[in-house]
Amino acid sequence: MVLYGADGCHLCERARAQLAALREELGFELDEVDVGGDPELEARYREWLPVVEIDGERAFVYHVDEDALRRRLGARSRAPRSAS
């Protein structure tokens, strides 16, 4: 899971705090990316911050719906895994 945010973004701070608490509960990996100063990331994410992506897919913008995240991660953990 990736959280895209920026310095001074109060919604990003809220999302970060929510994800930190949920991470303890659900045990997922979280990477954080600051879009500030990177023109490509700024163009892609700035108007939507914070953005949470799960497995490369945009899952949440502006806020994190905790119940929806629980459902989504629960469904992912129940999905059949391909044999390697």
Side-chain angles (χ1 to χ4, degrees):
M1 183 176 313
V2 181
L3 170 63
Y4 292 90
D7 287 338
C9 169
H10 71 280
L11 293 176
C12 300
E13 293 299 323
R14 177 184 290 165
R16 182 178 293 115
Q18 286 179 284
L19 291 171
L22 288 165
R23 186 176 178 194
E24 288 183 27
E25 174 188 335
L26 303 171
F28 55 84
E29 293 294 319
L30 178 65
D31 293 319
E32 293 187 39
V33 177
D34 184 346
V35 303
D38 183 317
E40 183 179 326
L41 291 176
E42 288 268 357
R44 185 170 179 187
Y45 296 104
R46 176 59 75 173
E47 71 180 273
W48 303 104
L49 293 180
V51 174
V52 176
E53 290 186 353
I54 300 173
D55 296 332
E57 181 180 314
R58 190 174 289 186
F60 303 101
V61 296
Y62 305 129
H63 72 279
V64 176
D65 180 327
E66 295 183 11
D67 291 332
L69 180 62
R70 285 184 186 97
R71 285 191 303 272
R72 187 165 185 153
L73 293 180
R76 187 175 73 168
S77 68
R78 290 188 303 269
R81 298 180 190 264
S82 61
S84 300

